[in-house]
Amino acid sequence: MSLRVVVVHPDLLGTYGDGGNGVVLVQRARWRGIAAELLEATSDGPLPVGDLYCLGGGEDAAQAASAERLRADAVLARAAERGSPVLAVCAGYQILGRTFPAADGRPLAGVGLLDVSTAKGTGRRAVGEILAEPLCTDLPVLTGFENHGGLTARGPNVDPLARVESGVGNGDGTDGAVSGRVVGTYLHGPVLARNPALADLLLSWATGLSLEPLDDGEEAALRDERIAAVRARHAGRWLSCLGRTARTARYVSGRS
Amino acid sequence: MVATRVVNALSRRLAAGSGTVAGGHVGLAVDPRLLEHLAAGRRVALVSGTNGKTTTTRLLAVALEGSLGRIATNATGSNMPTGHVTALAGAPPGAPAVLEVDEGYLPGLVGALVPEVVVLLNLSRDQLDRTNEVRMLSNRWRRAFSGSPATAVVANADDPLVVWAALPAAKPTWVAAGLSWRRDAIGCPACAGRVEFSSAEKGGWACACGFARPRPDVVLDADEIVLADGRRHRLTLALPGRFNRANAVMAAAAAATMGVGWEESLRQIAAVGEVAGRFSVVEVGGCSARVMLAKNPAGWRELLDLVAPGERPVVVGINARVADGRDPSWLWDVPFERLCGRQVVATGERCRDLSVRLRYAEVAHRTVRDEVAAVRAAWMAHGGGTPGAADVDFIGNYTAFTDVMSRATERTRA
């Protein structure tokens, strides 16, 4: 019996390359000798029963259409209830909450697997590299690229996935939400390609196995580069800020 | 119009002395309606779409040149108003204009210039960090054509988003030019339902709401162009690939609406061997590389189809600067699995992202950040060879491609 990884509605939630999360999960299972198959479940058919579900980012209208279908057939909710892990990214994360905004900002009903609510932000879209320190697991720092206009408020029944070191995430200094084995996040990249430890956590939940490590040299090189790039930019900003302060201080003291 | 003439002369001088964009910037700052003035009295054709703009613009200009003489055109891909000003200011008054136009600027230009013909190639995802959702673009195009009855539109009938945009046009010419990337075309622009692509009818598509592929006036059938009246023209190109045949048929159809016969324009188009360096063979790092540009999943899919059956090592270059889009997540929408068994080198500023993508595609590869060193490494690993014929295929996204072109020491063959 092989592990069935379901990519949910790639035709609606496939705008930002997040389908790669499914590829990463299946390959990491296979490389360990675990038979695995990738099911790309487009929105024109029923959602198949699987062992692990991935949702990705998409446009406003597509996001609403996906939520409507997921609410109607309840396959995903039942799977989550049985303990199947679910990874939801960006628009996919938003629709797993209680409410999310339509294109015009009006709240729509979400699938309700996570105690979060998303509203349209008032400022600019959050677009850029994001770095976040995981809070409820012992994963290494999470790296990704975020691109969203919504801000997500957490209710009492979820934990945040991570504390944001650089970037916006939920908008309150945290990113994502975790409830049981349902994980939401704003990180693209795809998030599992950039954070293979998170992929292995989901796989160990789905299989019940403790997984031997893989040689992740390519991923390690990518992670080092992205993390260093974000921190260097931060350091640069601090330095230029310090420089300005020093110049101002000199100017003020020179005048006095 | 003294003012216009003064600005004209001024901007022509600016354009001649500077690069493609700087002169245009100054000109537009002096007179925001400079483009309208510069276009007055010219026959104008515009070319837009996600992929194929630069090539189609060139092919259309070449097709018209033989009959209409010198053409004003932005041949280097500077496809925003500053580039248009430079192109028009640098050409004699009255010379017909063939302009490549960025998708977002097209509605404004259709309104301002009232072009004789607009060519709409395709619409698909491009640059994930800019939120130019393709359905929104299609709707903006559509509004522009409803208000422009004098403009003829040559539209790809195989792309639902292009058809949606072109339907209100007074005189659409529907060209079945093909569409290999359909992921962005599934959501119906008319009703938010689902567009189904037909397996029975080649290229056929329809939504339950009634929005469907119009009957094509021109069909690209492998190497032949079939017109509605049954006439057939053979399509011979020096440029490689299915997508370039699509670009050529769109260009020739536009030339036909401007009065240049199919045989004449296809003869002119056949001789074009490279466009702004794309598909040319250049000397890089002591060996010769065929250089190609792909910017988004639709473009990559087409180019992988082209290079996958070959034998040469493949060097893939990825950057993520502003002009490329800063999020390279789209690499996971590209079927790099097709390169399995080939010698592959990952390069560019984001070679690490590409390397991880190739790992999961199970494509054995090396990673060399510097593009020229990467081309050289691929060539050496392949056992060298006689410089002259292309030793290596290089495919880069926008700035990776332009970097390699700027560092090429010599163009050996067009």
Side-chain angles (χ1 to χ4, degrees):
Chain A
M1 182 76 174
S2 78
L3 182 80
R4 286 155 306 172
V5 176
V6 181
V7 172
V8 178
H9 301 163
D11 50 332
L12 299 173
L13 302 176
T15 311
Y16 296 95
D18 300 308
N21 289 325
V23 175
V24 170
L25 288 166
V26 166
Q27 292 291 60
R28 296 184 74 80
R30 285 180 185 159
W31 291 338
R32 292 173 165 113
I34 302 165
E37 57 182 316
L38 185 63
L39 306 177
E40 298 204 308
T42 51
S43 63
D44 55 340
L47 195 66
V49 174
D51 301 303
L52 210 166
Y53 291 83
C54 300
L55 294 81
E59 301 176 8
D60 293 339
Q63 173 186 29
S66 175
E68 201 181 296
R69 284 168 174 78
L70 293 177
R71 279 164 54 82
D73 76 2
V75 171
L76 188 66
R78 281 200 297 273
E81 217 163 274
R82 280 195 313 272
S84 300
V86 179
L87 171 72
V89 176
C90 200
Y93 166 40
Q94 295 179 352
I95 65 174
L96 289 199
R98 297 191 184 282
T99 63
F100 65 96
D104 58 12
R106 143 184 83 87
L108 299 176
V111 185
L113 296 187
L114 289 171
D115 182 17
V116 298
S117 293
T118 302
K120 253 187 166 35
T122 48
R124 285 171 48 192
R125 258 178 102 83
V127 183
E129 290 283 331
I130 173 168
L131 211 55
E133 196 63 51
L135 291 172
C136 50
T137 59
D138 55 1
L139 297 171
V141 65
L142 298 172
T143 156
F145 193 97
E146 64 180 330
N147 184 354
H148 56 101
L151 299 177
T152 300
R154 280 175 291 110
N157 302 319
V158 288
D159 295 312
L161 173 65
R163 183 185 58 78
V164 173
E165 180 182 323
S166 173
V168 176
N170 291 331
D172 63 353
T174 67
D175 177 69
V178 183
S179 171
R181 292 175 171 181
V182 180
V183 178
T185 177
Y186 274 112
L187 274 63
H188 301 291
V191 63
L192 298 186
R194 286 220 205 169
N195 304 281
L198 179 58
D200 288 350
L201 177 67
L202 295 166
L203 281 175
S204 66
W205 282 349
T207 59
L209 301 171
S210 76
L211 303 167
E212 76 228 47
L214 296 170
D215 174 8
D216 290 330
E218 284 96 338
E219 289 89 338
L222 171 60
R223 288 176 57 76
D224 289 349
E225 179 197 274
R226 297 327 306 155
I227 293 168
V230 172
R231 289 188 176 150
R233 214 180 48 226
H234 256 245
R237 269 198 219 127
W238 270 105
L239 280 176
S240 71
C241 181
L242 273 176
R244 267 199 308 275
T245 313
R247 277 195 300 279
T248 310
R250 267 203 307 279
Y251 177 71
V252 169
S253 63
R255 277 164 60 101
S256 63
Chain B
M1 291 288 284
V2 177
T4 313
R5 245 177 280 137
V6 170
V7 172
N8 239 322
L10 171 71
S11 55
R12 204 166 306 142
R13 185 147 318 161
L14 286 167
S18 57
T20 41
V21 173
H25 264 301
V26 177
L28 282 169
V30 173
D31 177 5
R33 295 185 63 199
L34 179 58
L35 258 182
E36 288 171 64
H37 297 317
L38 288 172
R42 296 178 196 271
R43 303 177 68 181
V44 175
L46 306 180
V47 177
S48 196
T50 306
N51 286 317
K53 288 187 288 287
T54 305
T55 302
T56 307
T57 299
R58 170 105 160 92
L59 296 181
L60 177 54
V62 165
L64 298 178
E65 231 160 27
S67 313
L68 304 184
R70 178 139 177 229
I71 304 290
T73 186
N74 48 342
T76 56
S78 324
N79 59 17
M80 300 194 194
T82 48
H84 302 141
V85 165
T86 309
L88 294 178
V98 178
L99 300 176
E100 169 186 344
V101 184
D102 174 86
E103 301 90 288
Y105 282 97
L106 184 66
L109 244 60
V110 167
L113 306 187
V114 196
E116 181 175 339
V117 58
V118 175
V119 181
L120 303 180
L121 298 167
N122 48 64
L123 274 176
S124 70
R125 68 187 65 179
D126 193 31
Q127 302 203 6
L128 301 182
D129 59 332
R130 298 191 198 165
T131 51
N132 252 336
E133 297 184 349
V134 286
R135 242 155 296 279
M136 189 177 78
L137 266 176
S138 171
N139 273 312
R140 289 185 51 217
W141 283 8
R142 183 178 168 93
R143 283 196 295 276
F145 294 121
S146 347
S148 191
T151 296
V153 175
V154 174
N156 184 356
D158 291 338
D159 187 335
L161 290 174
V162 163
V163 170
W164 178 248
L167 269 176
K171 297 173 276 181
T173 300
W174 302 115
V175 182
L179 185 74
S180 61
W181 171 264
R182 292 172 170 176
R183 288 265 297 276
D184 294 311
I186 293 167
C188 176
C191 74
R194 194 183 169 83
V195 170
E196 299 288 350
F197 286 85
S198 158
S199 46
E201 182 205 350
K202 193 177 165 223
W205 54 263
C207 174
C209 74
F211 177 58
R213 183 201 200 208
R215 178 192 294 273
D217 303 297
V218 180
V219 175
L220 173 63
D221 183 8
D223 288 331
E224 278 202 314
I225 296 168
V226 187
L227 306 186
D229 61 9
R231 274 182 299 156
R232 287 171 173 266
H233 296 283
R234 184 137 197 92
L235 181 61
T236 333
L237 293 181
L239 291 173
R242 190 215 68 83
F243 51 98
N244 277 327
R245 290 201 293 280
N247 294 334
V249 68
M250 295 295 288
T257 66
M258 295 179 80
V260 175
W262 284 88
E263 277 174 17
E264 157 71 8
S265 58
L266 290 176
R267 192 174 64 242
Q268 303 285 357
I269 284 171
V272 176
E274 55 138 334
V275 175
R278 299 149 201 211
F279 313 106
S280 63
V281 177
V282 299
E283 287 286 325
V284 178
C287 61
S288 64
R290 177 169 66 154
V291 287
M292 288 162 279
L293 168 66
K295 293 186 278 199
N296 45 47
W300 278 95
R301 199 164 277 251
E302 299 271 19
L303 276 186
L304 288 178
D305 279 346
L306 180 72
V307 304
E311 302 263 303
R312 294 171 198 150
V314 181
V315 180
V316 180
I318 301 295
N319 288 349
R321 298 182 204 162
V322 171
D324 303 304
R326 291 182 297 134
D327 177 12
S329 294
W330 55 266
L331 288 170
W332 293 78
D333 287 331
V334 177
F336 284 109
E337 287 79 1
R338 289 186 199 169
L339 293 177
C340 277
R342 299 291 299 281
Q343 285 208 43
V344 176
V345 179
T347 187
E349 288 157 4
R350 298 304 288 269
C351 58
R352 301 288 180 199
D353 297 76
L354 175 62
S355 170
V356 170
R357 172 69 189 98
L358 292 173
R359 176 189 186 202
Y360 284 93
E362 300 189 347
V363 174
H365 64 279
R366 297 174 58 196
T367 304
V368 180
R369 180 176 300 264
D370 180 84
E371 286 128 342
V372 172
V375 169
R376 189 156 179 82
W379 179 58
M380 299 295 280
H382 198 58
T386 345
D391 306 308
V392 173
D393 275 335
F394 176 91
I395 315 178
N397 67 344
Y398 189 67
T399 66
F401 171 83
T402 51
D403 278 359
V404 162
M405 288 304 285
S406 70
R407 295 172 68 189
T409 46
E410 191 189 334
R411 191 169 294 184
T412 52
R413 177 160 57 88

